[in-house]
Amino acid sequence: TGNHHNPEFHMLEWYRSFADWSHGVQDTKNVICHVTQALTGSLTMPGWREPIHLEGSWESLSIREAILRWAGFDPYPYEDVERLQHLGAEAGVRFSPSENQSQDLLVRILVEKVEPALPLDRPTVLTHYPTCMASLAQQSPTVEGTAERFEVYLGGLELANGFGELTDPKEQEDRLYKDLKERAELGLPAYPIDERFLDALRVGMPPSVGVAM
């Protein structure tokens, strides 16, 4: 939004069944490389300040690794609000008074410390978002406290957001009601639960990855 996009822009969204989040990353890379090759005749595209080189492997960092590298502190455990506020403020992050939930604090840390530091000449993939930042994504089976969410950045700009889709209807329902409860505690408007979505999950959905680019 803002200075980064035209008022009208194209968006592509897709889902792949019987696949996980890593397939979504590879699909995204394939699409970007194919389009760039078709338009420019090479795997180099114009960037904001310098060309972006797509060839080779793309650097992948977990959110925890990215905050450690560019903000200088470990954000884990992600739900410890007071610790995040203290360490973020020490690193120079400017939180607003309304940012008093862990997901709000983590977003502010990413916006102020991580995104401006991302390399401009090559892609970066951020992975393993804290579960509180990925309410529709599958819990990671290997990294505690995280979900199968990823974002692909080119030239420091987010181009794609993907989920290893949460297909467990009971867990999804629990998360939606948890979100409603938190909104009520903050005095924010409450929205009805999407029962048709939950009914569809109850019918059955295979393991899937979804990407919006």
Side-chain angles (χ1 to χ4, degrees), residues 39-59:
L39 293 175
T40 70
S42 74
L43 288 179
T44 299
M45 65 161 62
W48 297 105
R49 297 177 191 162
E50 55 189 286
I52 302 170
H53 305 286
L54 304 177
E55 71 277 4
S57 60
W58 294 8
E59 183 174 24

Side-chain angles (χ1 to χ4, degrees), residues 154-202:
L154 262 67
L157 176 66
E158 178 206 334
L159 273 198
N161 183 24
F163 288 169
E165 299 292 333
L166 176 56
T167 58
D168 182 326
K170 180 63 172 69
E171 184 180 349
Q172 184 63 82
E173 183 177 29
D174 290 346
R175 287 199 204 177
L176 291 174
Y177 277 105
K178 180 175 180 287
D179 289 345
L180 268 185
K181 182 172 180 285
E182 289 175 355
R183 290 183 67 83
E185 290 171 352
L186 294 171
L188 297 173
Y191 300 106
I193 296 292
D194 189 343
E195 293 294 345
R196 290 192 303 171
F197 171 52
L198 292 174
D199 285 342
L201 290 180
R202 293 180 187 113

Side-chain angles (χ1 to χ4, degrees), residues 55-204:
E55 71 277 4
S57 60
W58 294 8
E59 183 174 24
S60 180
L61 294 166
S62 70
I63 291 297
R64 186 178 185 180
E65 290 169 331
I67 292 175
L68 266 168
R69 179 184 295 187
W70 287 303
F73 65 89
D74 188 348
Y76 188 83
Y78 304 112
E79 301 292 345
D80 191 335
V81 170
E82 288 187 7
R83 182 175 179 276
L84 282 175
Q85 287 174 323
H86 174 70
L87 292 175
E90 279 196 334
V93 180
R94 297 159 297 180
F95 299 116
S96 73
S98 63
E99 291 169 336
N100 50 23
Q101 300 291 305
S102 55
Q103 58 264 39
D104 300 327
L105 302 174
L106 289 162
V107 167
R108 177 61 60 191
I109 293 164
L110 290 174
V111 166
E112 290 204 8
K113 290 295 177 180
V114 173
E115 290 185 350
L118 293 173
L120 299 179
D121 63 340
R122 62 188 185 277
T124 307
V125 184
L126 297 184
T127 69
H128 294 94
Y129 278 67
T131 306
C132 62
M133 301 177 73
S135 62
L136 298 176
Q138 185 81 20
Q139 195 92 1
S140 169
T142 57
V143 183
E144 185 179 0
T146 70
E148 295 183 347
R149 176 185 175 186
F150 68 88
E151 291 193 353
V152 175
Y153 285 79
L154 262 67
L157 176 66
E158 178 206 334
L159 273 198
N161 183 24
F163 288 169
E165 299 292 333
L166 176 56
T167 58
D168 182 326
K170 180 63 172 69
E171 184 180 349
Q172 184 63 82
E173 183 177 29
D174 290 346
R175 287 199 204 177
L176 291 174
Y177 277 105
K178 180 175 180 287
D179 289 345
L180 268 185
K181 182 172 180 285
E182 289 175 355
R183 290 183 67 83
E185 290 171 352
L186 294 171
L188 297 173
Y191 300 106
I193 296 292
D194 189 343
E195 293 294 345
R196 290 192 303 171
F197 171 52
L198 292 174
D199 285 342
L201 290 180
R202 293 180 187 113
V203 170

